PDB file of all heavy atoms in Angstrom:
ATOM      1  N   ARG A 425      12.055 -18.574  -8.594  1.00  0.00           N
ATOM      2  CA  ARG A 425      10.901 -18.905  -7.757  1.00  0.00           C
ATOM      3  C   ARG A 425      10.273 -17.679  -7.121  1.00  0.00           C
ATOM      4  O   ARG A 425       9.045 -17.590  -6.992  1.00  0.00           O
ATOM      5  CB  ARG A 425      11.320 -19.910  -6.685  1.00  0.00           C
ATOM      6  CG  ARG A 425      10.171 -20.429  -5.839  1.00  0.00           C
ATOM      7  CD  ARG A 425      10.636 -21.545  -4.933  1.00  0.00           C
ATOM      8  NE  ARG A 425      11.173 -22.665  -5.686  1.00  0.00           N
ATOM      9  CZ  ARG A 425      11.718 -23.741  -5.129  1.00  0.00           C
ATOM     10  NH1 ARG A 425      11.815 -23.821  -3.806  1.00  0.00           N
ATOM     11  NH2 ARG A 425      12.179 -24.725  -5.875  1.00  0.00           N
ATOM     12  N   ARG A 426      11.104 -16.721  -6.725  1.00  0.00           N
ATOM     13  CA  ARG A 426      10.571 -15.539  -6.040  1.00  0.00           C
ATOM     14  C   ARG A 426       9.618 -14.762  -6.939  1.00  0.00           C
ATOM     15  O   ARG A 426       8.706 -14.090  -6.447  1.00  0.00           O
ATOM     16  CB  ARG A 426      11.713 -14.638  -5.565  1.00  0.00           C
ATOM     17  CG  ARG A 426      12.482 -13.978  -6.694  1.00  0.00           C
ATOM     18  CD  ARG A 426      13.743 -13.256  -6.225  1.00  0.00           C
ATOM     19  NE  ARG A 426      13.450 -12.102  -5.406  1.00  0.00           N
ATOM     20  CZ  ARG A 426      14.253 -11.038  -5.313  1.00  0.00           C
ATOM     21  NH1 ARG A 426      15.404 -11.001  -5.999  1.00  0.00           N
ATOM     22  NH2 ARG A 426      13.952 -10.028  -4.544  1.00  0.00           N
ATOM     23  N   TRP A 427       9.833 -14.856  -8.272  1.00  0.00           N
ATOM     24  CA  TRP A 427       8.955 -14.138  -9.202  1.00  0.00           C
ATOM     25  C   TRP A 427       7.865 -15.045  -9.751  1.00  0.00           C
ATOM     26  O   TRP A 427       6.737 -14.577  -9.967  1.00  0.00           O
ATOM     27  CB  TRP A 427       9.780 -13.521 -10.332  1.00  0.00           C
ATOM     28  CG  TRP A 427      10.861 -12.629  -9.817  1.00  0.00           C
ATOM     29  CD1 TRP A 427      12.196 -12.725 -10.053  1.00  0.00           C
ATOM     30  CD2 TRP A 427      10.695 -11.505  -8.946  1.00  0.00           C
ATOM     31  NE1 TRP A 427      12.878 -11.746  -9.383  1.00  0.00           N
ATOM     32  CE2 TRP A 427      11.986 -10.981  -8.694  1.00  0.00           C
ATOM     33  CE3 TRP A 427       9.591 -10.903  -8.347  1.00  0.00           C
ATOM     34  CZ2 TRP A 427      12.182  -9.867  -7.872  1.00  0.00           C
ATOM     35  CZ3 TRP A 427       9.785  -9.798  -7.521  1.00  0.00           C
ATOM     36  CH2 TRP A 427      11.072  -9.301  -7.294  1.00  0.00           C
ATOM     37  N   ALA A 428       8.161 -16.312  -9.966  1.00  0.00           N
ATOM     38  CA  ALA A 428       7.161 -17.234 -10.509  1.00  0.00           C
ATOM     39  C   ALA A 428       5.917 -17.277  -9.629  1.00  0.00           C
ATOM     40  O   ALA A 428       4.785 -17.312 -10.126  1.00  0.00           O
ATOM     41  CB  ALA A 428       7.760 -18.631 -10.650  1.00  0.00           C
ATOM     42  N   ARG A 429       6.118 -17.245  -8.321  1.00  0.00           N
ATOM     43  CA  ARG A 429       4.978 -17.379  -7.411  1.00  0.00           C
ATOM     44  C   ARG A 429       4.078 -16.151  -7.422  1.00  0.00           C
ATOM     45  O   ARG A 429       2.956 -16.202  -6.907  1.00  0.00           O
ATOM     46  CB  ARG A 429       5.465 -17.663  -5.998  1.00  0.00           C
ATOM     47  CG  ARG A 429       6.249 -16.547  -5.354  1.00  0.00           C
ATOM     48  CD  ARG A 429       6.897 -17.007  -4.056  1.00  0.00           C
ATOM     49  NE  ARG A 429       7.638 -15.934  -3.407  1.00  0.00           N
ATOM     50  CZ  ARG A 429       8.519 -16.125  -2.443  1.00  0.00           C
ATOM     51  NH1 ARG A 429       8.765 -17.360  -2.015  1.00  0.00           N
ATOM     52  NH2 ARG A 429       9.151 -15.115  -1.892  1.00  0.00           N
ATOM     53  N   THR A 430       4.535 -15.038  -8.028  1.00  0.00           N
ATOM     54  CA  THR A 430       3.703 -13.833  -8.096  1.00  0.00           C
ATOM     55  C   THR A 430       2.823 -13.811  -9.339  1.00  0.00           C
ATOM     56  O   THR A 430       1.944 -12.950  -9.448  1.00  0.00           O
ATOM     57  CB  THR A 430       4.575 -12.558  -8.099  1.00  0.00           C
ATOM     58  OG1 THR A 430       5.279 -12.451  -9.352  1.00  0.00           O
ATOM     59  CG2 THR A 430       5.571 -12.567  -6.953  1.00  0.00           C
ATOM     60  N   LEU A 431       3.057 -14.732 -10.266  1.00  0.00           N
ATOM     61  CA  LEU A 431       2.383 -14.688 -11.557  1.00  0.00           C
ATOM     62  C   LEU A 431       1.128 -15.561 -11.571  1.00  0.00           C
ATOM     63  O   LEU A 431       0.704 -16.077 -10.544  1.00  0.00           O
ATOM     64  CB  LEU A 431       3.373 -15.071 -12.654  1.00  0.00           C
ATOM     65  CG  LEU A 431       4.572 -14.116 -12.773  1.00  0.00           C
ATOM     66  CD1 LEU A 431       5.577 -14.626 -13.777  1.00  0.00           C
ATOM     67  CD2 LEU A 431       4.099 -12.705 -13.154  1.00  0.00           C
ATOM     68  N   SER A 432       0.527 -15.734 -12.744  1.00  0.00           N
ATOM     69  CA  SER A 432      -0.785 -16.370 -12.842  1.00  0.00           C
ATOM     70  C   SER A 432      -0.730 -17.866 -12.565  1.00  0.00           C
ATOM     71  O   SER A 432       0.321 -18.504 -12.624  1.00  0.00           O
ATOM     72  CB  SER A 432      -1.361 -16.136 -14.240  1.00  0.00           C
ATOM     73  OG  SER A 432      -0.576 -16.820 -15.216  1.00  0.00           O
ATOM     74  N   ALA A 433      -1.908 -18.433 -12.318  1.00  0.00           N
ATOM     75  CA  ALA A 433      -2.009 -19.866 -12.049  1.00  0.00           C
ATOM     76  C   ALA A 433      -1.526 -20.677 -13.251  1.00  0.00           C
ATOM     77  O   ALA A 433      -0.863 -21.707 -13.086  1.00  0.00           O
ATOM     78  CB  ALA A 433      -3.446 -20.237 -11.708  1.00  0.00           C
ATOM     79  N   GLU A 434      -1.846 -20.212 -14.462  1.00  0.00           N
ATOM     80  CA  GLU A 434      -1.385 -20.960 -15.636  1.00  0.00           C
ATOM     81  C   GLU A 434       0.130 -20.938 -15.724  1.00  0.00           C
ATOM     82  O   GLU A 434       0.753 -21.958 -16.019  1.00  0.00           O
ATOM     83  CB  GLU A 434      -1.992 -20.384 -16.921  1.00  0.00           C
ATOM     84  CG  GLU A 434      -1.667 -21.271 -18.132  1.00  0.00           C
ATOM     85  CD  GLU A 434      -2.003 -20.631 -19.458  1.00  0.00           C
ATOM     86  OE1 GLU A 434      -1.234 -19.743 -19.915  1.00  0.00           O
ATOM     87  OE2 GLU A 434      -3.021 -21.026 -20.042  1.00  0.00           O
ATOM     88  N   PHE A 435       0.728 -19.795 -15.456  1.00  0.00           N
ATOM     89  CA  PHE A 435       2.192 -19.740 -15.477  1.00  0.00           C
ATOM     90  C   PHE A 435       2.772 -20.722 -14.477  1.00  0.00           C
ATOM     91  O   PHE A 435       3.692 -21.483 -14.800  1.00  0.00           O
ATOM     92  CB  PHE A 435       2.697 -18.329 -15.174  1.00  0.00           C
ATOM     93  CG  PHE A 435       4.198 -18.235 -15.185  1.00  0.00           C
ATOM     94  CD1 PHE A 435       4.879 -17.972 -16.359  1.00  0.00           C
ATOM     95  CD2 PHE A 435       4.937 -18.449 -14.027  1.00  0.00           C
ATOM     96  CE1 PHE A 435       6.267 -17.915 -16.384  1.00  0.00           C
ATOM     97  CE2 PHE A 435       6.318 -18.388 -14.045  1.00  0.00           C
ATOM     98  CZ  PHE A 435       6.979 -18.128 -15.228  1.00  0.00           C
ATOM     99  N   ARG A 436       2.248 -20.732 -13.273  1.00  0.00           N
ATOM    100  CA  ARG A 436       2.787 -21.614 -12.241  1.00  0.00           C
ATOM    101  C   ARG A 436       2.585 -23.086 -12.582  1.00  0.00           C
ATOM    102  O   ARG A 436       3.356 -23.938 -12.140  1.00  0.00           O
ATOM    103  CB  ARG A 436       2.155 -21.283 -10.883  1.00  0.00           C
ATOM    104  CG  ARG A 436       2.483 -19.881 -10.381  1.00  0.00           C
ATOM    105  CD  ARG A 436       2.117 -19.701  -8.919  1.00  0.00           C
ATOM    106  NE  ARG A 436       0.723 -19.993  -8.647  1.00  0.00           N
ATOM    107  CZ  ARG A 436      -0.265 -19.112  -8.751  1.00  0.00           C
ATOM    108  NH1 ARG A 436       0.001 -17.859  -9.143  1.00  0.00           N
ATOM    109  NH2 ARG A 436      -1.510 -19.450  -8.466  1.00  0.00           N
ATOM    110  N   SER A 437       1.573 -23.387 -13.370  1.00  0.00           N
ATOM    111  CA  SER A 437       1.328 -24.777 -13.758  1.00  0.00           C
ATOM    112  C   SER A 437       2.350 -25.293 -14.757  1.00  0.00           C
ATOM    113  O   SER A 437       2.518 -26.500 -14.920  1.00  0.00           O
ATOM    114  CB  SER A 437      -0.070 -24.918 -14.362  1.00  0.00           C
ATOM    115  OG  SER A 437      -0.100 -24.429 -15.698  1.00  0.00           O
ATOM    116  N   GLY A 438       3.009 -24.375 -15.464  1.00  0.00           N
ATOM    117  CA  GLY A 438       3.957 -24.774 -16.505  1.00  0.00           C
ATOM    118  C   GLY A 438       3.307 -25.016 -17.845  1.00  0.00           C
ATOM    119  O   GLY A 438       3.998 -25.218 -18.849  1.00  0.00           O
ATOM    120  N   ALA A 439       1.979 -24.995 -17.910  1.00  0.00           N
ATOM    121  CA  ALA A 439       1.257 -25.178 -19.172  1.00  0.00           C
ATOM    122  C   ALA A 439       0.942 -23.806 -19.753  1.00  0.00           C
ATOM    123  O   ALA A 439      -0.223 -23.410 -19.870  1.00  0.00           O
ATOM    124  CB  ALA A 439      -0.017 -25.978 -18.945  1.00  0.00           C
ATOM    125  N   CYS A 440       1.983 -23.067 -20.104  1.00  0.00           N
ATOM    126  CA  CYS A 440       1.775 -21.650 -20.408  1.00  0.00           C
ATOM    127  C   CYS A 440       2.472 -21.176 -21.673  1.00  0.00           C
ATOM    128  O   CYS A 440       2.497 -19.985 -21.944  1.00  0.00           O
ATOM    129  CB  CYS A 440       2.237 -20.797 -19.226  1.00  0.00           C
ATOM    130  SG  CYS A 440       3.970 -21.029 -18.777  1.00  0.00           S
TER     131      CYS A 440
END
Side-chain angles (χ1 to χ4, degrees):
R425 186 172 300 176
R426 68 189 293 208
W427 304 123
R429 65 190 181 195
T430 70
L431 298 174
S432 66
E434 188 191 77
F435 180 88
R436 296 193 304 273
S437 77
C440 58

